[in-house]
Amino acid sequence: MTDTAAEVDRRVAEAWARIEAGLGGVLPSSLRLLNAPAPAPAIDAAEAALGRTLPPDFRASLRIHDGTEPGATLPSLAPSPVPLTNLCDTDLIVEMTQMWRDNYGPEPDWDDPQVWAHLVDSEMLCLNGPVRPIIGSPGAVVVGDLNGDVLWLLDGDPAPGGTPGQVVRVDIECASWDVLAPSWTQLLVRYAEDLALFAADPDTSPLQIDPLVGPACEWGSTPSSSWGTRPAWLRDVQARSPYI
């Protein structure tokens, strides 16, 4: 059963209210970096420029906050409210996604589950969840950025077992791909819950928060001890080295 537009809007608004309450308790100065709502024409224009429709819950999120202002910059106005430099506004979503797509080139010898299995086994690649590790994948939309090194993507072409629109964290330099949540709403809820855990007892929360910088970008990433472990969808794939 598909949620109605009103239900989607309500769930996203509730999740953002929980995040704002959490930030108000542990990082209140960061709240000023949450942008005002994006007007519907700006969201429509972004979709037109991208050539694809954004998930309804992400559209609803943009109508609450059109991304965030960059935090932890010099001079810094305030710490970032998210574990990134910023969430992208509608203009930056288009710009960053176009830059992402510019890096795409078909690599049949590498864009192969057998090769990915080999790279995971060799600890040259980390995959946490049903995500295809294709740099510049045309099915992805960039929605968050940390200095171009760590990105959050809406994944429109997930691996088997994934959900279209799932949120993926990509650490380019570390060759690490982590599915953070099956949807944008579930990502917001996960973040709200971890903020609440941090407020109650920082040692129990996956978040690490620097009061001057904001949450650490490692939130949601795979622990180094898990490198070398294949995700379920790759478990029975025969590995193939691309070097042979």
Side-chain angles (χ1 to χ4, degrees):
M1 183 175 178
T2 304
D3 290 338
T4 66
E7 289 170 334
V8 170
D9 289 353
R10 176 182 59 80
R11 290 176 181 171
V12 172
E14 288 176 351
W16 266 117
R18 291 177 63 188
I19 288 172
E20 290 170 31
L23 291 171
V26 302
L27 207 60
S29 60
S30 71
L31 289 168
R32 72 184 73 172
L33 298 187
L34 295 172
N35 284 341
I43 303 174
D44 294 340
E47 289 185 330
L50 294 169
R52 64 185 308 113
T53 301
L54 296 169
D57 61 344
F58 188 71
R59 282 187 60 103
S61 182
L62 289 172
R63 293 195 300 269
I64 296 172
H65 293 298
D66 187 15
T68 66
E69 288 295 314
T73 58
L74 295 176
S76 179
L77 297 174
S80 175
V82 293
L84 295 162
T85 302
N86 62 298
L87 295 179
C88 300
D89 62 17
T90 49
D91 289 336
L92 193 56
I93 287 170
V94 173
E95 178 184 337
M96 293 294 295
T97 301
Q98 289 174 340
M99 290 173 61
W100 168 261
R101 292 175 179 174
D102 287 344
N103 289 317
Y104 178 71
E107 296 281 357
D109 290 335
W110 289 84
D111 295 340
D112 179 340
Q114 291 185 308
V115 172
W116 300 333
H118 168 79
L119 296 176
V120 170
D121 292 346
S122 305
E123 299 190 15
M124 299 171 66
L125 172 68
C126 182
L127 297 181
N128 177 21
V131 56
R132 308 178 200 271
I134 301 175
I135 298 291
S137 52
V141 174
V142 179
V143 297
D145 170 55
L146 178 81
N147 301 325
D149 297 323
V150 175
L151 303 173
W152 283 6
L153 311 176
L154 298 180
D155 183 6
D157 183 27
T163 304
Q166 66 187 10
V167 188
V168 176
R169 177 189 183 276
V170 181
D171 186 326
I172 304 295
E173 292 187 355
C174 292
S176 176
W177 299 65
D178 297 278
V179 177
L180 297 179
S183 70
W184 186 253
T185 302
Q186 287 167 283
L187 174 84
L188 296 178
V189 170
R190 178 182 179 182
Y191 187 49
E193 290 174 346
D194 286 347
L195 282 169
L197 283 173
F198 188 90
D201 181 359
D203 292 336
T204 65
S205 174
L207 282 166
Q208 297 178 7
I209 298 180
D210 184 318
L212 298 179
V213 177
C217 73
E218 287 79 12
W219 181 71
S221 63
T222 302
S224 58
S225 59
S226 297
W227 276 67
T229 302
R230 295 192 196 183
W233 68 280
L234 270 183
R235 196 161 293 152
D236 298 324
V237 173
Q238 182 177 356
R240 176 179 71 83
S241 172
Y243 305 108
I244 298 176

